[in-house]
Amino acid sequence: MPKEEKIVLAYSGGLDTSIIIPWLKENYAYEVIAMVADVGQGDDVEAVINKAYKTGASKVVVEDLREEFLTGYVWPALKAGAVYENKYLLGTSLARPVIAKHQVEVAIREGATAVSHGCTGKGNDQVRFEMAYQALAPELKVVAPWREWDLKSREDCLDYAEKRGISVTASREKIHSRDRNLWHTSHEGGELEDAGNAPFDSTWQLTKSPQDAPDKEEQVEIGFEKGVPVSVGGQTLDPVSLVELLNEIGGRNAVGRIDLVENRFVGIKSRGCYETPGGTLLLAAHNELEALCLDRDLLHFKQHVGLKYAELVYFGLWFTPLREALDAFFDTTQQNLTGSVTLSLYKGNVSIVSRKSDFSLYRTDLSSFTMGESYDQKDAEGFIRILGLPSRCRAQTHAKTKVEVAQ
């Protein structure tokens, strides 16, 4: 009798992956290895492990990816200033490649011939996972149950789970699809499927509402070294502790909520709500430090390229030569980005209190309204004359043409 083949499932213990284990065993007769990636979702890991075994997993592998997720994926995106469609700080998009990378490593280590995920055929995550599989281990077979089974909705999934005695946290009354990690929490489904509906107060999980936030401002100082956040309030922290602290600070001040209609890679518009309290503070501080320390042309070009970087991440193109090359560019831009920024937080608003850096290009002798020896105003006349030369030539040509036409 041939030996049963192994498949490694990216397992969260949520509704989708909870029913995928029995589905894989029923339809493929695989030995299912559940790979649990800890990217800071805050789950009870032991409960997730027990659930995987209870629903049919032959083995559960837990990978603590929190620090790698931040240093290898979030920090590069922060350096790039990557924001998708002006709002989305890419929390889910950045987590998928690190999860897929370790899933592939587990598959190779365990001698598996296939990998599986719980992404739907409408979403972006299927692309993110499978582009990583193809880049890292193209020989592995990919099983995507949502593209194969006859379940059409989350209600169908609940029915499937109930028939097999599988306990899930989702319910018919609380039907949101959520994804949480250290960087953010996303919310989709339920009342959010209608873009005309406001999110319920109960939809939000990490942040207070502005109405419930403190009635006084809170200030927070964030320190950076070469573009990487290293301290809060003057205290040096490891990456995980730093983000956890900023999530707490931002969350209690109602910072980091966005409600977004976005363009998925597959061409569908979708609506979701995202909470990124700590990330919102880090991005605001990082942007201000760049405004202080980066040359004008470099800053403007970097902002342009940052849009492309955000698109690459969102589209699942992390393991590509272009992303690697762009990282090298962004690392170069951050060599002098060391300093601190103090933010003021008040009921969802973030404002700047101060910016400090030994590499600051801001000079009071140049920017001050007081006229001094550092800047000779007379130089501006020649500068403007040279700058305006094409405009004068064009105006003179048009005037001459008008005269000739009139004659």
PDB file of all heavy atoms in Angstrom, residues 96-110:
ATOM      1  N   ARG A  96       1.445  37.746   4.846  1.00  0.00           N
ATOM      2  CA  ARG A  96       1.306  36.540   4.039  1.00  0.00           C
ATOM      3  C   ARG A  96       2.637  35.977   3.536  1.00  0.00           C
ATOM      4  O   ARG A  96       2.858  34.762   3.584  1.00  0.00           O
ATOM      5  CB  ARG A  96       0.358  36.794   2.858  1.00  0.00           C
ATOM      6  CG  ARG A  96      -1.084  37.074   3.253  1.00  0.00           C
ATOM      7  CD  ARG A  96      -1.576  36.176   4.358  1.00  0.00           C
ATOM      8  NE  ARG A  96      -3.000  36.307   4.621  1.00  0.00           N
ATOM      9  CZ  ARG A  96      -3.531  36.225   5.833  1.00  0.00           C
ATOM     10  NH1 ARG A  96      -2.752  36.029   6.884  1.00  0.00           N
ATOM     11  NH2 ARG A  96      -4.831  36.340   6.003  1.00  0.00           N
ATOM     12  N   PRO A  97       3.563  36.795   3.030  1.00  0.00           N
ATOM     13  CA  PRO A  97       4.804  36.190   2.524  1.00  0.00           C
ATOM     14  C   PRO A  97       5.653  35.515   3.600  1.00  0.00           C
ATOM     15  O   PRO A  97       6.262  34.482   3.337  1.00  0.00           O
ATOM     16  CB  PRO A  97       5.546  37.367   1.867  1.00  0.00           C
ATOM     17  CG  PRO A  97       4.888  38.599   2.395  1.00  0.00           C
ATOM     18  CD  PRO A  97       3.487  38.238   2.686  1.00  0.00           C
ATOM     19  N   VAL A  98       5.683  36.075   4.824  1.00  0.00           N
ATOM     20  CA  VAL A  98       6.484  35.422   5.856  1.00  0.00           C
ATOM     21  C   VAL A  98       5.822  34.121   6.291  1.00  0.00           C
ATOM     22  O   VAL A  98       6.508  33.123   6.582  1.00  0.00           O
ATOM     23  CB  VAL A  98       6.728  36.363   7.064  1.00  0.00           C
ATOM     24  CG1 VAL A  98       5.461  36.642   7.857  1.00  0.00           C
ATOM     25  CG2 VAL A  98       7.810  35.785   7.973  1.00  0.00           C
ATOM     26  N   ILE A  99       4.490  34.076   6.323  1.00  0.00           N
ATOM     27  CA  ILE A  99       3.794  32.824   6.655  1.00  0.00           C
ATOM     28  C   ILE A  99       4.053  31.781   5.574  1.00  0.00           C
ATOM     29  O   ILE A  99       4.390  30.627   5.867  1.00  0.00           O
ATOM     30  CB  ILE A  99       2.281  33.078   6.811  1.00  0.00           C
ATOM     31  CG1 ILE A  99       2.003  33.987   8.012  1.00  0.00           C
ATOM     32  CG2 ILE A  99       1.533  31.752   6.954  1.00  0.00           C
ATOM     33  CD1 ILE A  99       0.562  34.463   8.102  1.00  0.00           C
ATOM     34  N   ALA A 100       3.901  32.186   4.304  1.00  0.00           N
ATOM     35  CA  ALA A 100       4.111  31.251   3.192  1.00  0.00           C
ATOM     36  C   ALA A 100       5.541  30.737   3.154  1.00  0.00           C
ATOM     37  O   ALA A 100       5.783  29.559   2.870  1.00  0.00           O
ATOM     38  CB  ALA A 100       3.756  31.937   1.873  1.00  0.00           C
ATOM     39  N   LYS A 101       6.489  31.605   3.445  1.00  0.00           N
ATOM     40  CA  LYS A 101       7.907  31.202   3.454  1.00  0.00           C
ATOM     41  C   LYS A 101       8.134  30.074   4.452  1.00  0.00           C
ATOM     42  O   LYS A 101       8.779  29.058   4.138  1.00  0.00           O
ATOM     43  CB  LYS A 101       8.775  32.410   3.803  1.00  0.00           C
ATOM     44  CG  LYS A 101      10.250  32.103   4.058  1.00  0.00           C
ATOM     45  CD  LYS A 101      11.009  33.393   4.301  1.00  0.00           C
ATOM     46  CE  LYS A 101      12.455  33.146   4.722  1.00  0.00           C
ATOM     47  NZ  LYS A 101      12.565  32.729   6.127  1.00  0.00           N
ATOM     48  N   HIS A 102       7.616  30.224   5.646  1.00  0.00           N
ATOM     49  CA  HIS A 102       7.822  29.184   6.664  1.00  0.00           C
ATOM     50  C   HIS A 102       6.968  27.949   6.389  1.00  0.00           C
ATOM     51  O   HIS A 102       7.363  26.834   6.739  1.00  0.00           O
ATOM     52  CB  HIS A 102       7.551  29.762   8.049  1.00  0.00           C
ATOM     53  CG  HIS A 102       8.684  30.601   8.549  1.00  0.00           C
ATOM     54  ND1 HIS A 102       9.699  30.109   9.332  1.00  0.00           N
ATOM     55  CD2 HIS A 102       8.990  31.901   8.327  1.00  0.00           C
ATOM     56  CE1 HIS A 102      10.575  31.069   9.589  1.00  0.00           C
ATOM     57  NE2 HIS A 102      10.159  32.175   8.996  1.00  0.00           N
ATOM     58  N   GLN A 103       5.833  28.144   5.773  1.00  0.00           N
ATOM     59  CA  GLN A 103       5.013  26.993   5.380  1.00  0.00           C
ATOM     60  C   GLN A 103       5.781  26.111   4.396  1.00  0.00           C
ATOM     61  O   GLN A 103       5.782  24.880   4.510  1.00  0.00           O
ATOM     62  CB  GLN A 103       3.705  27.477   4.759  1.00  0.00           C
ATOM     63  CG  GLN A 103       2.725  26.360   4.408  1.00  0.00           C
ATOM     64  CD  GLN A 103       1.485  26.895   3.708  1.00  0.00           C
ATOM     65  OE1 GLN A 103       1.366  28.090   3.430  1.00  0.00           O
ATOM     66  NE2 GLN A 103       0.552  26.015   3.406  1.00  0.00           N
ATOM     67  N   VAL A 104       6.437  26.746   3.437  1.00  0.00           N
ATOM     68  CA  VAL A 104       7.243  26.004   2.473  1.00  0.00           C
ATOM     69  C   VAL A 104       8.399  25.287   3.177  1.00  0.00           C
ATOM     70  O   VAL A 104       8.707  24.124   2.874  1.00  0.00           O
ATOM     71  CB  VAL A 104       7.769  26.963   1.382  1.00  0.00           C
ATOM     72  CG1 VAL A 104       8.906  26.318   0.593  1.00  0.00           C
ATOM     73  CG2 VAL A 104       6.641  27.378   0.453  1.00  0.00           C
ATOM     74  N   GLU A 105       9.036  25.966   4.116  1.00  0.00           N
ATOM     75  CA  GLU A 105      10.150  25.355   4.843  1.00  0.00           C
ATOM     76  C   GLU A 105       9.689  24.131   5.632  1.00  0.00           C
ATOM     77  O   GLU A 105      10.385  23.108   5.677  1.00  0.00           O
ATOM     78  CB  GLU A 105      10.790  26.392   5.768  1.00  0.00           C
ATOM     79  CG  GLU A 105      11.540  27.491   5.025  1.00  0.00           C
ATOM     80  CD  GLU A 105      12.064  28.578   5.942  1.00  0.00           C
ATOM     81  OE1 GLU A 105      11.788  28.506   7.172  1.00  0.00           O
ATOM     82  OE2 GLU A 105      12.727  29.511   5.453  1.00  0.00           O
ATOM     83  N   VAL A 106       8.500  24.232   6.245  1.00  0.00           N
ATOM     84  CA  VAL A 106       7.955  23.085   6.970  1.00  0.00           C
ATOM     85  C   VAL A 106       7.664  21.941   6.006  1.00  0.00           C
ATOM     86  O   VAL A 106       7.953  20.763   6.296  1.00  0.00           O
ATOM     87  CB  VAL A 106       6.673  23.492   7.737  1.00  0.00           C
ATOM     88  CG1 VAL A 106       5.953  22.258   8.291  1.00  0.00           C
ATOM     89  CG2 VAL A 106       7.016  24.447   8.868  1.00  0.00           C
ATOM     90  N   ALA A 107       7.085  22.269   4.841  1.00  0.00           N
ATOM     91  CA  ALA A 107       6.762  21.244   3.855  1.00  0.00           C
ATOM     92  C   ALA A 107       8.012  20.489   3.411  1.00  0.00           C
ATOM     93  O   ALA A 107       8.019  19.248   3.316  1.00  0.00           O
ATOM     94  CB  ALA A 107       6.068  21.879   2.652  1.00  0.00           C
ATOM     95  N   ILE A 108       9.072  21.219   3.160  1.00  0.00           N
ATOM     96  CA  ILE A 108      10.319  20.586   2.727  1.00  0.00           C
ATOM     97  C   ILE A 108      10.895  19.735   3.860  1.00  0.00           C
ATOM     98  O   ILE A 108      11.341  18.599   3.647  1.00  0.00           O
ATOM     99  CB  ILE A 108      11.323  21.661   2.267  1.00  0.00           C
ATOM    100  CG1 ILE A 108      10.803  22.348   0.993  1.00  0.00           C
ATOM    101  CG2 ILE A 108      12.706  21.054   2.040  1.00  0.00           C
ATOM    102  CD1 ILE A 108      11.613  23.565   0.560  1.00  0.00           C
ATOM    103  N   ARG A 109      10.874  20.268   5.060  1.00  0.00           N
ATOM    104  CA  ARG A 109      11.425  19.564   6.218  1.00  0.00           C
ATOM    105  C   ARG A 109      10.652  18.287   6.534  1.00  0.00           C
ATOM    106  O   ARG A 109      11.241  17.281   6.946  1.00  0.00           O
ATOM    107  CB  ARG A 109      11.402  20.522   7.414  1.00  0.00           C
ATOM    108  CG  ARG A 109      12.187  20.046   8.621  1.00  0.00           C
ATOM    109  CD  ARG A 109      12.413  21.184   9.612  1.00  0.00           C
ATOM    110  NE  ARG A 109      11.187  21.661  10.227  1.00  0.00           N
ATOM    111  CZ  ARG A 109      10.758  22.920  10.157  1.00  0.00           C
ATOM    112  NH1 ARG A 109      11.450  23.820   9.463  1.00  0.00           N
ATOM    113  NH2 ARG A 109       9.648  23.276  10.772  1.00  0.00           N
ATOM    114  N   GLU A 110       9.326  18.333   6.347  1.00  0.00           N
ATOM    115  CA  GLU A 110       8.470  17.191   6.680  1.00  0.00           C
ATOM    116  C   GLU A 110       8.287  16.222   5.517  1.00  0.00           C
ATOM    117  O   GLU A 110       7.606  15.208   5.647  1.00  0.00           O
ATOM    118  CB  GLU A 110       7.096  17.699   7.130  1.00  0.00           C
ATOM    119  CG  GLU A 110       7.112  18.519   8.405  1.00  0.00           C
ATOM    120  CD  GLU A 110       7.454  17.695   9.625  1.00  0.00           C
ATOM    121  OE1 GLU A 110       7.204  16.464   9.608  1.00  0.00           O
ATOM    122  OE2 GLU A 110       7.972  18.262  10.617  1.00  0.00           O
TER     123      GLU A 110
END
